[in-house]
Amino acid sequence: MDFNYETIQVIQQKAIDMVFEAGPIILKAIVLLLIGRWLIKFLLRQLGKGLDKYEIDPSLGTFFKSFLSAILWVVLLIAVATTLGMQMTSFVAILGAAGLAVGLALQGSLANFAGGVLILVFKPFRVGDTIEAQGTLGSVESIDILYTKVRNFDNKVVTVPNGALANNSIVNLSQKPTRRVEMAVGVAYGTDLKKTRKVILDVLKKDERIHADPEPVVKFTSFGDSSLDLSVRCWADAGDLWPVYWDNMEALKEAFEANEIEIPFPQRDVNHYYPEGKKE
């Protein structure tokens, strides 16, 4: 019993000594971590204000903030590890070995990082552009260090890897200030195409959003199953594309009805054939 009691006392004393020795170091490391965390947030906020003040490209701003945040956190963790007594050479060796292992395991992430750099350098799109890529159509919300966030038109945010964007086709719908509006129109067989063309052009001329140069065109394209098919093409500002399309499709219907131009629908002729001698 004496031996056990004395052993317990020795263990307790050693534990107390370790607390007094290691306690200040651990407390110092915790304080350093908290201060460093606050400082990183403060620096990123100031950086964001500076980027806004000098009107830096938002695409570059979000990417640079993400990258700087990662670097600052690595520096902070090294400082905390050093405070806890870990030798810098040992820590760097461990960090290098861990970096190699992580690099092999995260080859896709490294490809995404490289893809983000390529996107920022060559600028196939910017924050705010409407793009179609990787099966997603929407507005670019941010270009981060590894991923690009695209908000589609039903307000869902799609996260697309930068590597996939940098190495595949991208359709940028916002890069040019004007867009072509194309409407498909069908009229019944027997309709006067010259009259129809004049009615369509008169409707388009009333819309001030449609550009006079290039001027609108109406071309006969094909003989459909139940209609003569026409292609109506005009140009408008990129932001007016869909309003121009919707408004003029409705206006064309009303103009056709007012000018007695028949809008066709699928029809079938049914003929009855009777055997010889049978009365109808």
Side-chain angles (χ1 to χ4, degrees):
M1 291 292 294
D2 292 341
F3 174 77
N4 290 339
Y5 179 73
E6 290 176 357
T7 302
I8 292 173
Q9 281 189 319
V10 171
I11 294 173
Q12 288 178 341
Q13 187 61 43
K14 287 185 177 181
I16 293 172
D17 292 341
M18 288 179 63
V19 169
F20 278 103
E21 289 178 4
I25 298 175
I26 295 174
L27 182 61
K28 182 180 178 181
I30 293 174
V31 171
L32 178 61
L33 180 62
L34 294 176
I35 294 175
R37 180 185 176 188
W38 175 86
L39 185 60
I40 289 173
K41 291 183 178 180
F42 175 77
L43 290 175
L44 292 177
R45 282 198 303 269
Q46 295 303 313
L47 176 62
K49 292 179 181 179
L51 293 174
D52 293 338
K53 179 179 179 181
Y54 292 101
E55 298 181 351
I56 303 299
D57 185 354
S59 305
L60 180 61
T62 54
F63 185 89
F64 186 63
K65 285 170 66 176
S66 300
F67 182 71
L68 182 61
S69 176
I71 295 297
L72 290 175
W73 272 105
V74 170
V75 172
L76 177 59
L77 292 177
I78 291 175
V80 170
T82 304
T83 302
L84 291 174
M86 183 176 292
Q87 295 294 326
M88 181 58 69
T89 53
S90 302
F91 185 78
V92 170
I94 294 173
L95 189 63
L100 178 61
V102 171
L104 293 174
L106 301 177
Q107 294 183 41
S109 296
L110 295 176
N112 290 337
F113 175 78
V117 173
L118 291 175
I119 289 171
L120 292 176
V121 170
F122 294 105
K123 292 182 171 57
F125 59 85
R126 302 170 184 265
V127 171
D129 285 356
T130 299
I131 66 170
E132 183 177 1
Q134 298 297 297
T136 299
L137 173 63
S139 176
V140 178
E141 285 202 331
S142 66
I143 303 173
D144 297 326
I145 191 170
L146 297 177
Y147 300 95
T148 292
K149 292 182 179 178
V150 179
R151 178 172 55 84
N152 59 24
F153 295 115
D154 56 356
N155 211 33
K156 296 177 182 178
V157 176
V158 182
T159 302
V160 185
N162 287 338
L165 287 175
N167 292 286
N168 290 281
S169 299
I170 301 171
V171 179
N172 191 329
L173 305 179
S174 302
Q175 200 165 50
K176 299 298 182 181
T178 59
R179 295 276 305 279
R180 189 179 72 185
V181 184
E182 185 164 354
M183 294 168 277
V185 177
V187 295
Y189 276 92
T191 302
D192 186 343
L193 292 182
K194 292 183 178 180
K195 175 184 176 182
T196 302
R197 182 178 290 107
K198 182 178 183 304
V199 169
I200 294 173
L201 291 175
D202 288 343
V203 170
L204 298 181
K205 288 178 182 178
K206 295 177 183 178
D207 193 335
E208 296 180 352
R209 297 168 297 182
I210 295 177
H211 297 181
D213 185 22
E215 63 181 6
V217 295
V218 180
K219 297 295 182 181
F220 173 59
T221 56
S222 65
F223 296 94
D225 291 339
S226 304
S227 64
L228 299 173
D229 297 330
L230 302 171
S231 177
V232 181
R233 296 179 178 180
C234 58
W235 289 83
D237 292 344
D240 293 331
L241 173 69
W242 288 111
V244 166
Y245 176 86
W246 291 322
D247 293 346
N248 283 279
M249 285 295 287
E250 184 173 345
L252 287 175
K253 175 184 179 298
E254 294 173 356
F256 284 175
E257 292 173 349
N259 288 273
E260 298 181 348
I261 296 175
E262 183 181 351
I263 301 173
F265 54 88
Q267 302 180 54
R268 293 290 183 272
D269 291 332
V270 179
N271 299 292
H272 294 276
Y273 294 94
Y274 294 96
E276 186 179 353
K278 183 176 180 180
K279 295 182 178 180
E280 296 185 1

